[in-house]
Amino acid sequence: MGEDRWLWQTLGTVRLWESRWYNLRQDRVRIHTGDEITYTFQEHPGAVFIVPVTPAGEIVLMRQYRYPIRQWLWEVPAGAVDGDEGLEAAARRELAEEIGGAAEELRYVGHFFAASSISNLRIDVFLATGVRLGRGVPEATELIEIKIVPVAEALAMARRGEIKDGQSALALYLCEPLLLAREADALV
């Protein structure tokens, strides 16, 4: 039997709520058993997460206040992709908005899904190198502080659980081989 027998068939879609950032979507679905169910999830245009590295080889982290959990979190710059904007354009825009950063080089690293049972949010990760900082222009709802740390410290913060934003921690981990290779090349 092929994998197709496990695919679910969308019979209809209603958007219960729409915003600039995401929608709440409710589908009527025929599942693999033949039963019909209602499945509600967050429909998202996608996001980019950027691990910024300065010319000195340090990581730029952000400490950002997050209202839903009423806590400050260590994160990397990130944000939603706007409309037809390409991934690289979104990464460069978010880097500039959140930390005032401009990268000499932007390298695509990979992607992952944030919460696949309740959202279609795909996160694409970039490593930005040669990042020079300027003045960021965060959105009115963004309260951000910047911290520049050595690569080893950023990775250790993620391992110790100090970077509690799982998406930012995973973005760092995905970039880890490239970060460590850069450090090894700098020692030669």
Side-chain angles (χ1 to χ4, degrees):
M1 284 185 215
E3 283 186 41
D4 288 348
R5 80 176 195 95
W6 298 109
L7 296 179
W8 294 5
Q9 180 184 9
T10 305
L11 303 173
T13 296
V14 175
R15 286 183 178 75
L16 301 174
W17 180 79
E18 294 181 337
S19 80
R20 176 179 158 213
W21 299 280
Y22 61 88
N23 304 322
L24 186 58
R25 175 177 163 172
Q26 189 171 71
D27 286 354
R28 190 78 189 142
V29 178
R30 180 172 295 117
I31 63 172
H32 60 283
T33 64
D35 294 332
E36 289 185 20
I37 65 165
T38 300
Y39 202 104
T40 306
F41 63 98
Q42 177 198 57
E43 184 179 52
H44 198 285
V48 291
F49 275 59
I50 308 98
V51 175
V53 182
T54 67
E58 297 173 305
I59 302 283
V60 182
L61 293 176
M62 305 178 340
R63 185 172 173 254
Q64 186 163 195
Y65 182 74
R66 294 298 188 179
Y67 173 75
I69 60 170
R70 294 184 175 57
Q71 290 184 26
W72 288 86
L73 295 179
W74 288 111
E75 302 177 359
V76 298
V81 177
D82 281 343
D84 293 333
E85 176 183 46
L87 294 177
E88 184 172 323
R92 289 190 184 280
R93 177 183 48 75
E94 286 295 336
L95 194 60
E97 285 177 7
E98 294 193 338
I99 63 171
E104 288 177 15
E105 183 181 351
L106 199 58
R107 181 173 178 176
Y108 182 77
V109 177
H111 75 274
F112 60 91
F113 296 94
S116 61
S117 65
I118 60 169
S119 178
N120 68 347
L121 172 56
R122 174 183 161 138
I123 294 175
D124 288 278
V125 178
F126 289 85
L127 178 65
T129 55
V131 174
R132 299 196 184 277
L133 300 177
R135 183 180 170 101
V137 186
E139 295 176 13
T141 59
E142 294 177 321
L143 186 54
I144 297 171
E145 297 173 1
I146 304 297
K147 180 177 182 176
I148 300 172
V149 299
V151 168
E153 178 60 19
L155 294 170
M157 288 173 70
R159 284 195 180 87
R160 289 191 303 258
E162 293 173 29
I163 298 178
K164 296 193 182 307
D165 177 63
Q167 300 165 134
S168 291
L170 183 52
L172 279 164
Y173 290 145
L174 289 174
C175 290
E176 183 174 15
L178 296 170
L179 293 168
L180 296 179
R182 283 182 51 81
E183 284 195 332
D185 287 346
L187 296 174
V188 176

